[in-house]
Amino acid sequence: MKLLNTISVLVATIIFISSGHATAQSSDQWNGSCEITFSGKSTLHNFSGTVKTEPFTVAISDLTQASTAKVSSRVKVKAAKMDTKSAKRDTKMHDVLQVAAFPDIIVDVTKLMASSTKPVLEGNIPRPTVIPFTLTIKGGEQQLIGKVGDWSYSDKRITCTVFFPVSLKTSGLVVPSVLGFIKVQDQILVVAKLTLKKSE
C-alpha cells in the first residue's frame, strides 16, 4: 500500500533538475538513484517502509535556454522490494499491490518544461519548488505534484528531496481491515531522496 513511494517518483520525481541546469550544463544525460521512504497510519499504529528505485537516466534538452529547457525520465520501483521490516505486513502489502501481475511502480516525466517546476532564483541558478509527474500503480495512471526540498546543485551532482502524498483509493488499492475495525488511513506519505550525477 505504501508503495507510492514510488516512487516515484516519484520518484520522478527528478525532472526538477531541468530548472537548475538549463543554463549550466554541456551534457544532457544524468544518471540517477533514489531512496524512498513511505509512511502511513492505521487505527492502532503508524507504519513506514523503504525501497530503492532501479537505476535511471534523466535526459535534458535545450540546456542553453532556461525558458525552453525540457526534462524527460522514467523511474521504476520494484513493488516486491518494498520493505516495512515486518514479513507479515509486507506479504499483505505485496498482495494488495498484486506484485506478480504489476511488478513495477513507475514515475514518468516527459518533456517537462523548467517553468512548470515553479523555480525560484538563488544566485544565478533557478531552484525548482515542485515537480509534476505521472505515477503508474497496478496499471493505473494518476497525475501528481511533488514538493522539492533540500536542494543542492553543482556542475557534477544534484541532490534534493521530493515529498508527495498518495491516495490508496485513487491508486485502486484496497487494504482489508483487520477484525473489522483496524483500518489503514487513505493517505500514504512518500519521501524520495534523489541523487543525480552528470554522465561523463
Side-chain angles (χ1 to χ4, degrees):
M1 33 195 163
K2 321 102 187 210
L3 36 77
L4 315 163
N5 30 25
T6 110
I7 133 6
S8 300
V9 211
L10 94 79
V11 102
T13 38
I14 317 148
I15 52 207
F16 50 66
I17 62 168
S18 63
S19 60
H21 298 54
T23 60
Q25 310 176 60
S26 58
S27 171
D28 62 358
Q29 296 291 324
W30 292 69
N31 297 320
S33 61
C34 187
E35 297 185 358
I36 296 166
T37 299
F38 52 91
S39 59
K41 298 179 180 180
S42 71
T43 306
L44 292 182
H45 55 74
N46 299 340
F47 59 84
S48 65
T50 59
V51 67
K52 292 182 179 180
T53 66
E54 300 298 295
F56 59 90
T57 301
V58 177
I60 308 174
S61 61
D62 295 334
L63 297 183
T64 60
Q65 299 295 325
S67 62
T68 58
K70 299 183 182 72
V71 176
S72 295
S73 187
R74 183 177 176 85
V75 183
K76 293 183 180 181
V77 166
K78 294 297 182 183
K81 292 183 178 181
M82 296 175 66
D83 181 15
T84 67
K85 304 303 182 184
S86 168
K88 185 176 181 180
R89 182 166 52 212
D90 288 349
T91 296
K92 292 182 178 179
M93 176 176 65
H94 297 157
D95 287 344
V96 169
L97 291 170
Q98 297 180 26
V99 298
F102 304 99
D104 297 326
I105 296 171
I106 302 171
V107 166
D108 269 309
V109 177
T110 303
K111 295 182 179 179
L112 176 70
M113 298 293 296
S115 58
S116 297
T117 67
K118 297 182 179 181
V120 175
L121 282 178
E122 291 187 348
N124 61 346
I125 298 297
R127 172 178 60 82
T129 60
V130 297
I131 302 175
F133 61 93
T134 300
L135 176 66
T136 301
I137 297 178
K138 286 181 61 177
E141 294 184 355
Q142 56 186 294
Q143 305 303 311
L144 296 178
I145 296 177
K147 294 183 179 181
V148 180
D150 304 322
W151 173 263
S152 177
Y153 164 80
S154 73
D155 289 343
K156 299 289 187 180
R157 179 185 176 92
I158 301 169
T159 61
C160 70
T161 303
V162 182
F163 311 81
F164 58 95
V166 177
S167 164
L168 297 176
K169 182 177 180 180
T170 301
S171 302
L173 302 175
V174 179
V175 182
S177 62
V178 180
L179 301 178
F181 65 91
I182 301 176
K183 298 180 179 181
V184 175
Q185 292 186 11
D186 179 64
Q187 192 172 91
I188 302 299
L189 176 63
V190 178
V191 179
K193 295 184 178 296
L194 179 71
T195 299
L196 299 175
K197 296 181 180 180
K198 186 176 180 180
S199 299
E200 298 298 334

